[in-house]
Amino acid sequence: MADNDERRQTVMASNLSTEDERLLDKLQRVAFQYFLHESNPDNGLLADSTSQGAPASIAAVGLALAAYPSGVERGYLSRQKAIQRTLTTLRFFAESPHSAAPDATGYRGFYYHFLDMRTGARTWQSELSSIDTTLLLAGALAAAAYFDGDAADERLIRELAEALYQRADWQWMQRGKPLVAHGWRPEKGFLRYRWEGYSEALLLYLLGLASPTHPLPAASYAAWLASYAWREIYGHEFVYAGPLFIHQLSHVWVDLRGIQDAYMRAKGIDYFENSRRATYVQQQYAIHNPHGFHGYGKHMWGISAGAGPGPARRRVDGVARRFYGYRARGVPDGPDDGTLSPWGAIASLPFAPELVLPTIRALNEQYPQVTSKYGFKCSFNPTFPSADGDERGWVSAGYYGLEQGPVVLMIENYRSGLLWQLMRGCPHIRLGLQRAGFTGGWLA
């Protein structure tokens, strides 16, 4: 496997045609504009979506922090402007109200999922989210890795990022058990769900294990691995998770090529290969199209988290259909209501460019109405009748920061490996991987 991993790490985007290079460049550039125009310059908070009055999403903030270095390298904004944005954001989280009060910004080093865009106070009675805080902290650590200069403002970025990371009390979030809780609310305490079963929480466990102040024990990661499900679907064996984003989000930050934990060593693959197989399963599901939805096919797939045309029930071509609103959709067990997420396909670019690039071209050719100012919209559903009678079906109204981030960053990882290289040098990422039992590859 080592030889193949070395080849993948050196080839990546080197064989891109000029046309595909232009295609990715345009897509990355317009998607990045979300971070420039949907933020509050006074506190660095980023809107969850383009919906009127949308609150800030701390996960989207973390993705913005990780994306600013790509913006600098690609010429989308100057280094000094990126420093200013990053400092404003990190200062806000360092200085905002941090207590058990129901209108605080955070508590015990974790932050509420949704915050008021202007004040930064908790909104929508959201939970203190362990996974969304993970993405926020990962973004802060990415900024610290990139802004490595001796100037006072760059030193301050590193100091603030480290302080925020050290404040997270991962042991408290365990709630006395090995597996980490999804979150906590001041009104009712901890949420009943824990991070078990393969998911985007891979990054959560890595950061928790490496904490210099409140680290997760090794038993926590072992308990998580024990909750995995290994399945064979359409001839591909892999650690199962239905929604495509699960196979992508941790990979935004961590280069998992050629390194293995105990579970993957026993299976003879790595998590990168696992995500490649999950991507192929997605395409095969769309080709087989077991529920007969419109539009699915070889170059039209991407079943993940996103907005939908529901909740609604419609009879389409004589078939009674149920449609959902925002939902984490997955294959092959569902839920699936015919909604496709372009961002879900694009974020698999590093795993399977031979599938993703033709899909991007097909989206441009067959569904031009899905594209607007920030690139491909959140989602579309060719089966659900559109309000204006367009036979190509329903298209979501706008965009989500949580979806724009992986578009920008996975295109960047495919083109240059920038964020992967930055996080390889982050001592917390390396230590988390080592404490989780990862060996081989670049960790050696």
Side-chain angles (χ1 to χ4, degrees):
M1 188 182 70
D3 290 342
N4 289 335
D5 290 327
E6 289 176 11
R7 180 183 60 79
R8 283 195 305 232
Q9 290 177 35
T10 55
V11 174
M12 290 302 282
S14 62
N15 57 350
L16 270 179
S17 68
T18 301
E19 179 185 352
D20 285 337
E21 183 67 39
R22 284 198 297 261
L23 180 71
L24 293 179
D25 185 69
K26 179 180 178 181
L27 185 55
Q28 185 179 18
R29 177 164 32 84
V30 297
F32 185 84
Q33 301 307 304
Y34 185 97
F35 301 115
L36 298 182
H37 301 302
E38 303 298 332
S39 63
N40 182 346
D42 296 330
N43 55 23
L45 293 180
L46 194 80
D48 174 58
S49 72
T50 51
S51 299
Q52 185 69 30
S57 157
I58 61 168
V61 173
L63 287 159
L65 290 171
Y68 292 148
S70 291
V72 174
E73 295 299 313
R74 296 289 170 186
Y76 306 152
L77 79 170
S78 69
R79 185 180 182 93
Q80 193 55 45
K81 286 184 178 178
I83 288 171
Q84 291 170 358
R85 282 175 170 267
T86 301
L87 265 182
T88 296
T89 306
L90 297 181
R91 278 185 172 131
F92 166 77
F93 282 97
E95 298 169 2
S96 57
H98 206 79
S99 72
D103 61 348
T105 298
Y107 179 51
R108 303 292 287 255
F110 294 90
Y111 297 90
Y112 288 104
H113 191 164
F114 298 112
L115 304 174
D116 184 277
M117 278 290 292
R118 184 179 61 84
T119 67
R122 175 199 185 206
T123 190
W124 285 0
Q125 291 193 308
S126 59
E127 80 284 8
L128 203 70
S129 173
S130 56
I131 190 61
D132 292 278
T133 297
T134 294
L135 301 184
L136 173 64
L137 296 178
L141 294 175
Y146 182 72
F147 296 110
D148 59 355
D150 293 330
D153 50 8
E154 297 198 33
R155 290 200 307 271
L156 183 55
I157 285 174
R158 298 194 294 273
E159 292 167 6
L160 289 171
E162 183 66 22
L164 291 174
Y165 176 58
Q166 291 194 21
R167 186 157 66 174
D169 191 343
W170 302 96
Q171 295 170 5
W172 174 74
M173 193 59 81
Q174 284 183 274
R175 194 185 168 192
K177 298 288 181 65
L179 296 169
V180 175
H182 278 204
W184 178 90
R185 284 192 175 94
E187 296 84 4
K188 296 184 178 180
F190 288 99
L191 305 185
R192 67 184 187 133
Y193 297 106
R194 297 177 181 273
W195 289 106
E196 57 183 329
Y198 181 61
S199 70
E200 68 274 28
L202 173 58
L203 182 62
L204 178 153
Y205 282 101
L206 294 179
L207 291 187
L209 287 166
S211 171
T213 51
H214 309 285
L216 294 175
S220 180
Y221 191 76
W224 188 56
L225 291 183
S227 70
Y228 280 12
W230 181 263
R231 292 178 60 177
E232 180 177 347
I233 303 172
Y234 298 123
H236 297 281
E237 292 185 272
F238 68 120
V239 177
Y240 174 74
L244 195 49
F245 76 89
I246 285 177
H247 297 282
Q248 299 163 338
L249 276 184
S250 293
H251 293 260
V252 168
W253 280 273
V254 187
D255 184 357
L256 291 160
R257 296 171 295 170
I259 61 175
Q260 300 167 307
D261 59 12
Y263 189 96
M264 285 300 180
R265 278 194 295 276
K267 298 299 184 182
I269 65 170
D270 56 32
Y271 285 101
F272 187 93
E273 170 63 19
N274 197 77
S275 292
R276 189 189 71 82
R277 295 180 184 186
T279 302
Y280 267 84
V281 167
Q282 279 264 332
Q283 187 203 45
Q284 285 300 307
Y285 177 86
I287 291 170
H288 285 79
N289 194 10
H291 302 294
F293 289 115
H294 294 183
Y296 283 25
K298 180 179 180 181
H299 300 317
M300 207 57 59
W301 50 274
I303 299 169
S304 195
R313 293 180 184 271
R314 296 283 190 277
R315 183 168 289 276
V316 182
D317 298 333
V319 179
R321 301 283 194 185
R322 181 182 180 184
F323 299 93
Y324 304 99
Y326 196 99
R327 199 73 176 264
R329 296 167 174 83
V331 306
D333 302 334
D336 177 20
D337 62 354
T339 300
L340 296 171
S341 299
W343 81 273
I346 296 165
S348 278
L349 178 65
F351 311 127
E354 68 279 11
L355 304 189
V356 175
L357 288 168
T359 295
I360 295 173
R361 291 193 289 268
L363 284 166
N364 282 330
E365 293 166 4
Q366 298 176 35
Y367 294 94
Q369 77 276 24
V370 175
T371 300
S372 188
K373 62 179 179 178
Y374 297 137
F376 294 122
K377 289 187 176 180
C378 166
S379 50
F380 67 106
N381 190 314
T383 302
F384 191 88
S386 70
D388 60 4
D390 190 327
E391 63 180 13
R392 291 171 296 189
W394 173 88
V395 178
S396 61
Y399 300 85
Y400 286 82
L402 188 57
E403 297 161 6
Q404 294 299 98
V407 170
V408 172
L409 291 165
M410 290 303 253
I411 289 176
E412 188 61 51
N413 279 333
Y414 178 64
R415 296 177 76 187
S416 74
L418 174 64
L419 186 54
W420 285 343
Q421 291 296 330
L422 289 173
M423 300 311 279
R424 279 188 183 195
C426 174
H428 302 305
I429 291 294
R430 294 183 70 96
L431 181 59
L433 288 166
Q434 290 163 350
R435 287 182 173 172
F438 281 85
T439 58
W442 60 268
L443 270 177

